[in-house]
């Protein structure tokens, strides 16, 4: 088996700026709107929730934003992350394609989430914030922000969806080890939580409810702010370290991707990998196909509406123009918890509308089959979310096998599954379900999208 397996950058080659794709787009994305006035939201509307530095990044039209030294120092705990050539997977598939994966599971919590948790904690600490609040589902985001808060001396309070809090104790232990306080949501600590508990004492919670609780706590405390792990522009911005490194690693490899695939929940690991490549594509230097992969159970990009909708279930957030299934849409309880969001990053939605990125939806059994195939050849057990990207990667590699094309495929392997192994148990036991999502299911959910 000839050729290199890992492409490793020196710490000195780590990016020193995040890349903002907005100024390079043919048109800017539509702004978030205030649900009351219908006018674009201003910095004052966001100030109770986010520090000024992040609000400025959210609306920035600068192409590059310097990464503060303090953030780079923490990044160096795991960055630059490796780019792998998947020689063994290629051989197992018998494909002439060359497959590469950029691996973010080397971070302290095992996913890409700390790439944005660390700068978010840094800017909050710098502006004198004492406490960060957030929500988490299975716990990837909660553990990333708990780790980041520990780095900058912030207190951290996490509302974790009750079902995960009870069934998946390990992420909670991780958050507590980093010093965070974790509440099951709904809780009796907020009005939003108490209202739900009054109506449904046995509620197992949802991300939407947990967001409402974390937002309520931050808004009521002048020295507290709220942190979000995906969807917003500044989150995707911070993740572009992934793609900037990958570009340098492809130079080392003397190769260039023809197809780039990533999974999309709120769009942050995907945007982080692909935006720097999109810059090169828009400048005419490369011309890869760029493809988002989402679960068939939650197909916002492929079957959603491109419309203004709320980011949360309770309707507390600004209206975001995005691909949405309706903010009341409750996807089937699939194992890729990070991909069960009704909407999509407004920036990525806009880029899909511009025709610069395409999208496919794949059912979870095919995804886990790809995850198992990957684990048996490459030795890393992928988190349930990136198995979606791997499934498309396998499809593409098998198409190449038929046509004999030697395409270069790049995929984002945004996390490992060490705390999600019950998902593999379910797949291996043969009891993982793919329910067909009917047009009727979707029409009912579309009814909750505000008309504007
Ligand atoms: C949170 C998460 C996702 C989904 O979020 P994106 O913003 O779409 O990246 C995907 N994979 C992993 C491993 C996650 O933790």
């Amino acid at each position: 088996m000839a050729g290199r397996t890992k492409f490793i950058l020196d710490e000195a080659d780590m990016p020193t700026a995040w890349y903002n794709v907005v100024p390079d787009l043919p048109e800017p994305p539509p702004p978030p709107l205030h649900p009351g006035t219908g006018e674009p939201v201003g910095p004052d509307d966001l100030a109770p929730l986010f520090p000024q530095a992040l609000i400025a990044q959210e609306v920035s039209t600068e192409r590059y934003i310097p990464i503060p030294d303090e953030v780079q120092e923490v990044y160096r705990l795991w960055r630059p992350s490796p780019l792998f050539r998947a020689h063994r997977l290629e051989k197992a598939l018998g494909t002439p394609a060359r497959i590469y994966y950029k691996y973010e599971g080397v971070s302290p919590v095992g996913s890409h989430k700390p790439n944005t948790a660390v700068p978010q904690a840094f800017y909050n600490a710098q502006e004198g914030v004492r406490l960060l609040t957030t929500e988490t589902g299975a716990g990837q985001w909660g553990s990333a922000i708990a780790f980041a808060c520990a780095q900058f001396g912030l207190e951290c309070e996490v509302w974790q969806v009750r079902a995960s809090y009870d069934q998946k104790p390990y992420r909670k232990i991780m958050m507590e080890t980093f010093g965070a306080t974790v509440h099951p949501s709904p809780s009796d600590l907020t009005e939003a939580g108490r209202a739900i508990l009054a109506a449904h004492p046995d509620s197992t919670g949802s991300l939407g409810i947990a967001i409402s609780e974390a937002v309520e706590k931050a808004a009521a405390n002048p020295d507290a702010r709220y942190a979000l792990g995906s969807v917003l522009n500044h989150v995707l911005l911070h993740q572009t370290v992934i793609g900037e490194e990958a570009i340098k690693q492809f130079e080392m490899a003397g190769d260039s991707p023809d197809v780039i695939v990533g999974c999309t929940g709120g769009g942050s690991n995907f945007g982080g990998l692909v935006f720097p490549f999109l810059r090169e594509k828009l400048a005419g230097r490369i011309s890869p196909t760029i493809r988002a992969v989402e679960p068939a159970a939650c197909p916002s990009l492929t079957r959603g509406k491109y419309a203004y909708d709320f980011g949360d279930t309770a309707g507390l957030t600004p209206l975001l123009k995005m691909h949405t299934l309706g903010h009341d849409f409750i996807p089937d309880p699939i194992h890729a918890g990070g991909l069960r969001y009704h909407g999509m990053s407004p920036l990525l939605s806009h880029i899909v509308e511009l025709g610069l990125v395409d999208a496919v939806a794949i059912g979870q059994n095919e995804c886990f089959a790809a995850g198992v195939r990957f684990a048996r050849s490459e030795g890393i057990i992928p988190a349930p979310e990136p198995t979606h990207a791997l499934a498309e990667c396998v499809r593409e590699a098998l198409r190449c096998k038929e046509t004999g094309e030697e395409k270069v495929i790049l995929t984002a392997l945004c996390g490992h599954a060490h705390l999600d192994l019950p998902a593999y148990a379910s797949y291996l036991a043969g009891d993982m379900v793919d329910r067909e999502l009917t047009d009727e299911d979707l029409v009912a959910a579309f009814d909750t999208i505000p008309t504007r």
Side-chain angles (χ1 to χ4, degrees):
M1 198 175 285
R4 271 184 88 142
T5 298
K6 292 192 299 302
F7 298 88
I8 307 276
L9 295 173
D10 194 82
E11 283 183 12
D13 295 322
M14 200 175 73
T16 55
W18 294 298
Y19 168 60
N20 179 13
V21 73
V22 171
D24 286 332
L25 295 176
E27 307 165 26
L33 301 182
H34 190 287
T37 64
E39 295 295 317
V41 291
D44 291 350
D45 298 311
L46 300 173
L49 295 183
F50 301 107
Q52 290 304 324
L54 292 177
I55 295 171
Q57 290 179 3
E58 189 61 24
V59 297
S60 176
T61 52
E62 294 293 315
R63 187 169 278 111
Y64 292 99
I65 295 177
I67 305 175
D69 289 343
E70 295 88 337
V71 172
Q72 291 190 41
E73 270 173 39
V74 182
Y75 274 177
R76 279 196 281 272
L77 289 173
W78 72 96
R79 306 214 70 84
S81 71
L83 177 78
F84 285 85
R85 170 89 185 267
H87 289 293
R88 287 163 187 77
L89 179 65
E90 292 168 16
K91 201 171 164 209
L93 295 171
T95 179
R98 300 196 287 287
I99 302 173
Y100 293 83
Y101 56 97
K102 177 72 168 158
Y103 185 43
E104 292 297 310
V106 293
S107 86
V109 304
S111 75
H112 65 290
K113 294 280 194 332
N115 296 333
T116 184
V118 170
Q120 289 195 44
F122 167 75
Y123 290 119
N124 275 286
Q126 210 186 27
E127 293 184 28
V129 171
R130 177 187 56 85
L131 167 72
L132 264 189
T133 71
T134 198
E135 74 290 333
T136 199
Q140 274 282 10
W141 171 241
S143 45
I145 200 78
F147 154 70
C149 284
Q151 291 294 314
F152 295 105
L154 285 172
E155 290 176 35
C156 179
E157 214 169 323
V158 183
W159 274 265
Q160 183 173 23
V161 175
R162 166 64 88 176
S164 302
Y165 181 93
D166 290 338
Q167 288 162 17
K168 301 178 182 170
Y170 295 114
R171 285 280 170 194
K172 178 175 132 244
I173 298 167
M174 207 166 170
M175 291 184 260
E176 290 174 344
T177 303
F178 287 128
T181 305
V182 187
H183 310 295
S185 170
S187 74
D188 60 7
L189 302 167
T190 64
E191 272 181 39
R194 285 189 294 270
I196 298 283
L197 286 173
H200 310 279
D202 298 325
S203 169
T204 54
S206 74
L207 268 181
I209 298 165
I211 293 176
S212 302
E213 293 201 88
V215 165
E216 184 183 319
K217 171 81 185 216
N221 289 274
D223 58 354
R225 293 289 182 280
Y226 166 74
L228 192 64
S230 185
V231 179
L232 297 179
N233 295 353
H234 67 267
V235 179
L236 274 63
L237 173 82
H238 299 153
Q239 295 293 353
T240 58
V241 289
I242 303 173
E244 294 289 21
E245 288 177 5
I247 284 180
K248 289 189 183 172
Q249 288 162 314
F250 267 95
E251 279 167 20
M252 287 176 78
D255 228 339
S256 178
D258 299 308
V259 183
I260 308 176
V261 296
C263 68
T264 47
S268 75
N269 88 85
F270 180 81
L273 177 68
V274 311
F275 287 173
F277 286 96
L278 185 56
R279 172 189 63 213
E280 302 302 305
K281 182 173 174 169
L282 288 165
R285 288 188 280 270
I286 54 174
S287 56
T289 298
I290 304 179
R291 185 166 298 143
V293 190
E294 56 186 15
C298 194
S300 54
L301 284 172
T302 51
R303 295 176 74 187
K305 250 190 191 166
Y306 184 53
Y308 273 104
D309 194 9
F310 292 106
D312 69 324
T313 309
L316 297 178
T317 68
L319 289 167
L320 305 170
K321 183 92 184 260
M322 60 184 176
H323 290 91
T324 177
L325 297 163
H327 60 275
D328 272 0
F329 181 76
I330 309 269
D332 266 9
I334 55 166
H335 288 280
L339 307 184
R340 291 182 70 227
Y341 182 61
H342 69 273
M344 185 48 63
S345 146
L347 180 54
L348 180 58
S349 287
H350 175 64
I351 287 171
V352 168
E353 283 298 301
L354 291 172
L356 299 171
V357 163
D358 59 45
V360 294
I362 304 183
Q364 62 177 347
N365 272 293
E366 180 179 343
C367 297
F368 275 84
V372 167
R373 177 134 44 175
F374 186 87
R376 289 179 188 173
S377 41
E378 295 296 315
I380 296 170
I381 306 181
E385 293 84 2
T387 63
H388 290 70
L390 289 171
E392 177 59 20
C393 194
V394 167
R395 284 184 183 182
E396 194 68 45
L398 294 178
R399 280 193 283 267
C400 288
K401 186 177 180 174
E402 274 180 23
T403 62
E405 277 176 291
E406 295 180 14
K407 280 191 187 172
V408 176
I409 305 169
L410 166 61
T411 183
L413 187 57
C414 54
H416 64 63
H418 296 180
L419 298 181
D420 305 294
L421 289 174
Y424 280 85
S426 164
Y427 173 75
L428 294 172
D431 49 40
M432 189 171 270
V433 182
D434 280 312
R435 189 179 71 86
E436 186 76 28
L437 190 63
T438 66
D439 287 342
E440 288 72 51
D441 296 328
L442 290 176
V443 168
F446 285 166
D447 281 348
T448 68
I449 300 172
T451 44
R452 165 168 303 285

